[in-house]
């Protein structure tokens, strides 16, 4: 009986190991990311953001999604800084390379929220985040795409922040991209992001 249990345990361990190996060797997702990029670091406030882009790929956990996230931190970009609901904003704008420049394809609405620092086992800053379905290659055609995440925090008198580029991906209806066009030759402009046009007290906050 003991030998049977040991054999069964070994078989189960082997099965789990093979399953985990299969999971980790498959493309878990197709995201391209830029994380915790500092867009402002001034008196009493640091603003950071994340940017991401994805598109549907057969056989991968993927979707036609653009991602943006805004954080407020203490001066010097230390820990998360508590700011009221509506004092932080984020927006995802998807750009496509048209052969000579990066042009806007689609953009989300602004999303507003509060910021702060989580505790527990995995502490870290939090703030408003946007997951935007931009439509994939059907949106603006086959080509290279990337997200500009706008990350802004109100400091009591003005919006502070800027834009974060995710990095680009080639998006096509074909599974294999043979004969894809030449990769973009120019880096996107650094200062194309613009802050929200309203003050927090004037905005009906969305969640």
């Amino acid at each position: 009986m003991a030998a049977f249990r040991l054999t069964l345990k070994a078989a189960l361990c082997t099965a789990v190991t093979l399953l985990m190996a299969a999971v980790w060797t498959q493309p878990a997702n197709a995201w391209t990311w830029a994380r915790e990029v500092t867009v402002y670091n001034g008196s009493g406030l640091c603003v950071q953001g994340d940017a991401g882009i994805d598109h549907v790929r057969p056989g991968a956990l993927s979707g036609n999604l653009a991602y943006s996230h805004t954080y407020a931190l203490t001066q010097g970009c230390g820990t998360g800084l508590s700011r009221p609901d509506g004092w932080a904003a984020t927006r995802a704008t998807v750009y496509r390379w048209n052969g000579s420049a990066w042009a806007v394809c689609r953009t989300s609405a602004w999303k507003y929220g509060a910021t702060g620092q989580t505790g527990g086992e995995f502490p870290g800053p939090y703030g408003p985040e946007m997951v935007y379905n931009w439509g994939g290659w059907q949106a603006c055609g086959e080509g290279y795409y990337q997200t500009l995440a706008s990350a802004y925090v109100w400091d009591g008198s003005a919006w502070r922040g800027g834009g974060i580029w995710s990095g680009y991906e080639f998006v096509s209806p074909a599974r294999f991209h043979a004969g894809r066009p030449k990769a973009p030759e120019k880096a996107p402009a650094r200062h194309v992001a613009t802050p929200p046009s309203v003050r927090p007290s004037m905005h009906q906050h969305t969640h």
Side-chain angles (χ1 to χ4, degrees), residues 6 31-32 34 49 52 55 85 102-103 106 123 127 133 136 150 154 163 174 197-198 206:
L6 287 173
W31 291 87
T32 298
H55 66 280
D85 186 20
W102 289 99
R106 287 187 175 177
N133 188 334
S150 298
W154 184 255
S197 59
V198 296
T206 58

Side-chain angles (χ1 to χ4, degrees), residues 153-180:
V153 176
W154 184 255
D155 69 356
S157 61
W159 288 105
R160 307 295 184 184
I164 303 104
W165 291 101
S166 63
Y168 61 78
E169 296 184 349
F170 184 73
V171 184
S172 166
R175 181 171 183 176
F176 301 104
H177 307 309
R180 70 173 60 182

